[in-house]
């Protein structure tokens, strides 16, 4: 399973996947999203995907 962590620049607040901001080179911080939220559209999508493909 490929886990992608979304990081946020501490300076210009852009979202990136890199540990360093590509715009201002500041250190990025983990956004640490909740593991599961009923309001999470990606969580819903994952459940649908799981039901359809059994992955
Ligand atoms: Zn930045």
């Amino acid at each position: 399973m490929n886990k992608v962590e979304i990081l946020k620049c501490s300076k210009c607040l852009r979202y990136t996947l890199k540990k360093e901001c590509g715009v201002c080179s500041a250190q990025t911080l983990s956004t640490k999203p909740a593991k599961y939220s009923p309001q999470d559209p990606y969580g819903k999508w994952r459940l649908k995907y799981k039901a359809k493909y059994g992955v």
Side-chain angles (χ1 to χ4, degrees), residues 2 4 6-9 18-20 22 28-29 32-33 37-43 46-48 50 52 54:
N2 194 15
V4 177
I6 299 169
L7 301 166
K8 193 178 184 182
C9 177
K18 294 171 186 173
K19 288 183 178 175
E20 220 175 60
T28 52
L29 305 168
K32 299 223 183 220
S37 154
Q39 277 87 40
D40 177 14
Y42 293 104
R46 272 200 300 272
L47 285 177
K48 272 190 180 179
K50 194 175 179 180
K52 196 172 179 182

Side-chain angles (χ1 to χ4, degrees), residues 9 11-12 21 23-24 26:
C9 177
K11 205 170 177 182
C12 67
C21 178
V23 180
C24 66

